[in-house]
Amino acid sequence: MTEPATWDPAADAESALDSALAVVGMSGRFPGAPDLDAYWTNLRDGVCSIADFTEAELLADGAEPSEVRGPDHVPAKGYLADADRFDAELFGFHRTEAAALDPQHRLLLQTAWAALEDAGHDPLAAPTRTGVYVGGSPTEHMLAAHTDRRLAASIGAMQIRTLTDREFLAPWISYRLGLEGPSLTVQTACSTSLTAVHLAAQALLLGECDTALAGGVSVDTVRKQGYVHYEGGIFSSDGRCRPFDERAGGTVPGSGVGVVVLRRLADALADGDPIRAVLRGSALTNDGATKVGFTAPGVEQQTAAIVEAWSAAGLAPSAAQYVETHGTATELGDRIELAAATEAFRGDGQGVGAETPAGTGTRIGIGSVKSNIGHLDAAAGVASLIKAVLMLEHATLAPTVNVTGPHPELGLDASPFRVVDRAAPWPSPAAGPRRAGVSSLGIGGTNVHVVLEEAPPRPGTTDAAAPRRTEILPLSARTESALAALAGRLATALRAPGAPSLADTAHTLRTGRTPMDVRAYVLASDTEEAAERLTALAEGRSPYAAQGSPDEAGLRGLGELWLKGGTVLWPAGPAGARRVSLPTYPFAGESFGALTLARRTEDAQDAPAPAAPGDDLTRAVSELLAEALGLEGPAGPETTYFAAGGDSLTAVHLVGRLRDDFGIDVPITLFLEELTLHELADRIVESKETGEDSLDALLSEFEAE
């Protein structure tokens, strides 16, 4: 009997360069987890983050009393806290736009920013040819916005569409972050976000882009809201999701958002990117008509997706030690998914009940994150993918919660699988790296499977190996509180086991962050000293007092220039310094709420009546400008239309409002002039006598283009 081959990381990575991709960055917010550190802690510790609401909480958030008190109402959900908060100014939205912008758009913008930072890249200076592949779910906010006549009168129907429709999830990211690769909004129901990952992977392999953001978001409402259980429906009767369990009775809805940053593995290795995992292959199929109904799953094409993904990876399905399943805990869904996965492994020569490769005597672990956070609809796949990446990084299998034993009708004992029901170390296989599959299945039949493996070992820049050298760590944020939070998080990260070296940390902060107005810096010669001074900064104490040695004078000069808002040419890092994953920007914007259908009855009024001529008309026009631009008070004497956040789409809306409300036909070119808002209001009133059919002319120009 021959001995199993040992894993040669260098040779394996080299052989995978042509088709393998690297997950170089990730960010997400999930129920019970404002960031991925909290997400991993909850997963590892077997925490169920599905919230149980009190009747008072539900009623306070607008629920109907008759529904809440109904016998089949279940007051539970994978609830995403603070889903209505948004750092609008950072992304260039004025208050009116930010309030109209769907919470899904807000969350996805911030998560895309954080994912790029996690990859060690300045979000506003991302690599060229960066593509965006994302999707989302239907939302209450979008439905309410499209039926709100007052809002339409305020900002215009076209603005409402672009600010709320799922169609514009990807383009807003590309626009606000200046990303010039392909920009696709993907929709395949529950498998949306993993489909987005597959499409991004294909685009990278075809050379359509060199970096890609992929993922999804699902926030049907920001309110605390339960659901009604129907016998035979997909939702659980008790507010808990128990995949593959003897008590399985359905899933639980949830909200969340996740984005991963992908690059070709060869490029990531060459550029010194932080590699969190390797994506070896993926596949996409549809059940077609080979199932009992449109919403039912099918075995044949689920099996095909698994086999094709592992074939694309150049591996057999049996090379997996773990599979993160779709796992909804519905009777039909779990049974068909397990049958399809079993068929994929049986076709691989495993045989029913066979052991995993290399005779380990251990069945392949399976699990489903829906037991922890609920079913996130369009964001379900990326939640599963990020879970699998975190398990690979930590070499730990996270448990599926709320399970007591396998469902007797699933035949788990006769399959190659076992449900992972407790946290356990993930041992390194005798041959090759740790590998996992991830499945996501969409209503309508779109099946996706992705093959992951752990990142190849890479030597980093270590403080012990490098000559002792003082480094400057620049930090910036929009507010003092955000800067303090960022400093505190960075100090914690530098104290954690396996913390990045000081040289890599400094290199990442100097090259991979967007400079903002509120600034600070820290000088340090090792990570311990850096953590101490960052803690001082976070606590409002001066981090500079002890920094007085002569050799630091030049760095202090750069630091002072940084504090004054100057553009700094930072010193080059030591040889071998590379980007590393560090805490990302601590978004904590204000609440912009969300529109709800329950409030629509208050809004059934027409637009305000036209104002009288003269000073009253000038005042009314000024108020209209302020309303459309989201200004809370009078505009400053020097504030121009564009400085106040105006754009061409708002100008089109204003031209229509001025015509409809005041009978004023304004030339669209008036908004392109460098006029203060006071001057603009005066010119609009003056144009009442000389109007030009500018809106029709502009629309004709658009059609001609």
Side-chain angles (χ1 to χ4, degrees):
M1 181 176 177
T2 58
E3 292 294 321
T6 57
W7 177 36
D8 182 345
D12 209 2
E14 182 67 27
S15 66
L17 287 182
D18 289 343
S19 61
L21 305 173
V23 179
V24 299
M26 303 193 306
S27 181
R29 288 182 55 188
F30 302 106
D35 55 44
L36 295 190
D37 287 340
Y39 187 47
W40 171 244
T41 299
N42 290 343
L43 293 173
R44 180 199 62 203
D45 295 347
V47 174
C48 177
S49 298
I50 295 172
D52 297 306
F53 305 121
T54 66
E55 181 178 303
E57 287 177 314
L58 294 171
L59 294 177
D61 263 13
E64 291 290 338
S66 59
E67 182 179 69
V68 169
R69 294 163 186 160
D72 296 320
H73 183 266
V74 182
K77 185 178 185 178
Y79 177 68
L80 189 65
D82 296 325
D84 60 346
R85 304 186 75 86
F86 182 49
D87 203 323
E89 187 175 335
L90 179 60
F91 291 94
F93 291 95
H94 60 65
R95 294 190 60 81
T96 297
E97 289 176 324
L101 190 67
D102 194 294
Q104 289 194 152
H105 288 69
R106 305 173 196 162
L107 286 169
L108 201 55
L109 279 164
Q110 293 182 159
T111 306
W113 178 290
L116 283 168
E117 283 195 335
D118 185 65
H121 289 283
D122 177 346
L124 296 186
T128 56
R129 301 179 74 237
T130 294
V132 181
Y133 301 80
V134 295
S137 299
T139 70
E140 180 183 34
H141 178 98
M142 180 189 71
L143 294 173
H146 282 263
T147 53
D148 188 334
R149 287 188 291 172
R150 180 179 296 177
L151 183 63
S154 172
I155 66 172
M158 188 61 187
Q159 282 279 59
I160 291 174
R161 183 185 171 200
T162 59
L163 293 170
T164 64
D165 199 304
R166 290 183 288 173
E167 182 178 359
F168 299 101
L169 285 168
W172 272 121
I173 295 173
S174 297
Y175 177 60
R176 290 303 188 191
L177 301 187
L179 309 179
E180 297 179 346
S183 189
L184 276 69
T185 299
V186 180
Q187 295 299 331
T188 62
C190 318
S191 59
T192 287
S193 53
L194 205 61
T195 298
V197 170
H198 168 76
L199 295 176
Q202 295 300 302
L204 286 163
L205 295 176
L206 291 171
E208 294 176 350
C209 56
D210 296 325
T211 303
L213 280 69
V217 60
S218 181
V219 184
D220 59 337
T221 178
V222 301
R223 295 186 293 146
K224 295 176 179 176
Q225 185 180 70
Y227 61 90
V228 177
H229 166 72
Y230 296 98
E231 192 65 36
I234 66 169
F235 292 125
S236 165
S237 62
D238 65 356
R240 291 295 178 268
C241 180
R242 300 180 172 87
F244 308 110
D245 189 63
E246 58 188 353
R247 296 179 296 159
T251 193
V252 177
S255 296
V257 56
V259 172
V260 297
V261 183
L262 304 176
R263 299 195 73 201
R264 289 181 287 272
L265 179 59
D267 294 343
L269 289 169
D271 293 347
D273 289 328
I275 300 177
R276 305 194 66 160
V278 176
L279 196 159
R280 287 290 300 268
S282 62
L284 183 70
T285 65
N286 190 277
D287 294 327
T290 60
K291 52 186 180 177
V292 298
F294 179 75
T295 60
V299 173
E300 181 180 337
Q301 290 304 312
Q302 285 189 35
T303 301
I306 296 171
V307 172
E308 290 174 18
W310 285 88
S311 177
L315 300 164
S318 56
Q321 299 94 47
Y322 178 84
V323 177
E324 176 67 14
T325 67
H326 191 63
T328 57
T330 57
E331 181 181 359
L332 183 62
D334 281 7
R335 178 162 54 82
I336 288 180
E337 183 172 11
L338 186 62
T342 298
E343 182 64 26
F345 284 88
R346 177 188 294 127
D348 180 34
Q350 282 281 91
V352 174
E355 296 177 349
T356 51
T360 62
T362 305
R363 294 176 183 273
I364 297 171
I366 60 172
S368 171
V369 76
K370 292 176 182 61
S371 68
N372 304 87
I373 60 175
H375 190 344
L376 305 195
D377 194 57
V382 75
S384 297
L385 181 78
I386 290 174
K387 172 190 173 182
V389 172
L390 291 170
M391 289 197 301
L392 287 167
E393 281 189 317
H394 293 275
T396 301
L397 295 172
T400 295
V401 300
N402 302 318
V403 299
T404 56
H407 196 293
E409 296 182 8
L410 293 179
L412 265 168
D413 289 341
S415 79
F417 308 111
R418 64 180 179 88
V419 176
V420 177
D421 59 2
R422 65 195 66 186
W426 186 341
S428 182
R434 297 175 180 87
R435 293 189 176 108
V438 182
S439 290
S440 192
L441 317 172
I443 287 178
T446 299
N447 312 302
V448 196
H449 190 82
V450 169
V451 178
L452 295 175
E453 71 180 31
E454 64 182 319
R458 300 172 66 198
T461 307
T462 64
D463 289 335
R468 187 174 178 86
R469 122 178 188 162
T470 300
E471 296 284 358
I472 183 167
L473 281 63
L475 288 83
S476 70
R478 283 194 55 251
T479 65
E480 294 286 353
S481 60
L483 185 70
L486 183 60
R489 292 183 186 183
L490 188 56
T492 299
L494 292 180
R495 291 190 177 104
S501 71
L502 181 64
D504 288 345
T505 299
H507 175 69
T508 302
L509 291 174
R510 295 194 296 244
T511 63
R513 296 296 185 265
T514 298
M516 300 185 196
D517 292 340
V518 180
R519 300 183 177 190
Y521 71 92
V522 163
L523 298 180
S525 299
D526 56 47
T527 53
E528 182 179 352
E529 186 176 47
E532 291 174 357
R533 291 175 175 174
L534 286 165
T535 299
L537 181 61
E539 295 175 350
R541 296 181 283 115
S542 173
Y544 313 118
Q547 300 170 2
S549 60
D551 61 328
E552 295 178 354
L555 291 177
R556 286 201 306 275
L558 291 177
E560 294 306 310
L561 177 61
W562 169 253
L563 293 181
K564 294 175 182 177
T567 300
V568 180
L569 183 62
W570 299 112
R578 58 185 177 87
R579 287 182 285 271
V580 290
S581 179
L582 296 174
T584 59
Y585 190 78
F587 291 108
E590 65 180 287
S591 170
F592 283 92
L595 300 174
T596 66
L597 291 169
R599 300 173 190 165
R600 278 195 59 248
T601 54
E602 305 170 5
D603 298 337
Q605 298 182 18
D606 295 326
D615 292 341
D616 289 343
L617 178 57
T618 302
R619 186 180 305 110
V621 168
S622 297
E623 291 172 354
L624 173 61
L625 294 174
E627 176 189 31
L629 295 170
L631 303 178
E632 292 187 313
E638 303 301 322
T639 304
T640 65
Y641 172 74
F642 286 103
D647 54 26
S648 59
L649 202 56
T650 303
V652 172
H653 164 68
L654 284 168
V655 168
R657 280 289 303 275
L658 289 165
R659 172 190 286 175
D660 295 343
D661 293 2
F662 305 111
I664 303 175
D665 200 3
V666 181
I668 193 72
T669 53
L670 184 61
F671 291 91
L672 305 179
E673 298 182 23
E674 282 294 321
L675 301 173
T676 69
L677 289 178
H678 297 298
E679 292 170 338
L680 181 59
D682 290 338
R683 291 279 296 276
I684 287 170
V685 173
E686 291 171 5
S687 70
K688 183 174 176 62
E689 303 298 326
T690 60
E692 174 187 339
D693 201 358
S694 55
L695 180 59
D696 290 342
L698 180 66
L699 293 176
S700 297
E701 181 180 341
F702 284 168
E703 290 174 2
E705 292 178 354

